[in-house]
Amino acid sequence: GPPTHTMTSLTIVIIFLIVLGATYYALNHLDLFGKLLGTSSSGGTKPKTSSLDSKDEDPPEIDFSDSSDDDSDSDNEVIEPQEFTLEKLREFNGEDEDKIFVSVKGEVFDVTGSGFYSKTSDYHIFAGHDASINLARSSLDPSTLDQFDLSVLSAAEQQDLQSNLEFYEGKYVKVGWLKEFIDANQKSSSEKKND
C-alpha cells in the first residue's frame, strides 16, 4: 500500500491555505501585526472600517479635510447658532479675530483649526466670506466670493455645491446663518413662485 507518513501535494495545498487564511484573519481582525510592533491602533478585536463603509458616494472635488479630528471645536464650547451679517462674518477671517468662519449656501461654519484656511493657505480667501459659488466651481477666484445668486450655476455645479455643504455639515460646527444670503434666496424663490 501507499506510505502513511508522506503527505500528498493536495494535503500540502490544503494546509497552506488554512495557514494563509488564519494569518490573513489574524492580521486584519486581531491587529496582531500592530501589537507585535507596538503600534496597535485599536484596543480590541474590532475590524478596521474600510472606505467602502463610508456613506459618501461622491466626495466633493475640493477636499478640505485634514487629519485632525478637532478642527472646529478646539475650545469645546457650545456655540448657539446666530445670525451673521456679511460685515460681521468678515471679522472672522483669522486676522481680525482668532476664529475663522466660512459660509456655504448661507450656513456659517467654524473652520478654526483646519490648516486649509490659515493665512498661508490658498483657501484662506474663503475665511470670513460666503464661498458658495467658489465651492460649486472649485474656484479660488476672489471676485465670486459673497455672490448669493445660485441661479448662475449649472446643474452639475449645484450638485457639487450641495456635496460641499454636506461635507461641511459633517466636518465643522455650524455657528449660524448669513442674513444676506438667506434674504437674497428667499426673495428669488418667492419671485419665481409669483411668476
Side-chain angles (χ1 to χ4, degrees):
T4 56
H5 50 269
T6 50
M7 289 194 225
T8 65
S9 56
L10 180 61
T11 307
I12 293 171
V13 168
I14 290 171
I15 291 172
F16 174 77
L17 290 175
I18 291 170
V19 170
L20 185 67
T23 304
Y24 176 83
Y25 178 84
L27 289 176
N28 285 302
H29 294 277
L30 302 178
D31 199 21
L32 292 179
F33 194 65
K35 288 176 184 163
L36 288 173
L37 295 176
T39 59
S40 176
S41 58
S42 64
T45 59
K46 185 178 176 189
K48 292 184 173 118
T49 56
S50 73
S51 59
L52 297 175
D53 296 334
S54 125
K55 292 178 184 166
D56 299 322
E57 291 89 29
D58 294 319
E61 278 196 61
I62 299 178
D63 183 10
F64 296 99
S65 64
D66 59 15
S67 59
S68 65
D69 291 334
D70 62 343
D71 282 350
S72 56
D73 53 354
S74 54
D75 298 329
N76 289 328
E77 63 188 72
V78 177
I79 299 172
E80 191 66 36
Q82 59 180 295
E83 183 173 83
F84 285 83
T85 62
L86 201 47
E87 183 181 359
K88 181 172 180 169
L89 178 63
R90 287 183 177 147
E91 294 173 16
F92 294 93
N93 59 9
E95 293 170 26
D96 303 332
E97 279 277 339
D98 288 340
K99 295 222 175 262
I100 301 175
F101 294 170
V102 172
S103 171
V104 181
K105 285 184 83 171
E107 294 187 32
V108 179
F109 297 94
D110 183 347
V111 299
T112 308
S114 171
F116 287 100
Y117 305 95
S118 67
K119 294 174 193 167
T120 57
S121 166
D122 289 340
Y123 304 119
H124 181 67
I125 69 160
F126 296 167
H129 292 281
D130 183 90
S132 299
I133 300 289
N134 297 69
L135 290 170
R137 294 180 173 166
S138 299
S139 166
L140 295 173
D141 179 2
S143 73
T144 52
L145 290 170
D146 306 323
Q147 300 294 314
F148 308 130
D149 182 6
L150 302 184
S151 68
V152 301
L153 299 175
S154 69
E157 289 170 337
Q158 293 267 4
Q159 183 55 50
D160 286 345
L161 176 56
Q162 187 59 37
S163 296
N164 274 287
L165 176 60
E166 290 166 11
F167 170 79
Y168 275 75
E169 288 172 333
K171 177 147 182 78
Y172 301 112
V173 174
K174 181 179 173 182
V175 293
W177 60 94
L178 185 60
K179 180 184 185 328
E180 290 87 344
F181 185 95
I182 303 300
D183 290 348
N185 285 284
Q186 283 175 341
K187 283 178 193 154
S188 65
S189 55
S190 66
E191 285 166 9
K192 288 175 187 160
K193 288 175 190 166
N194 293 337
D195 285 349

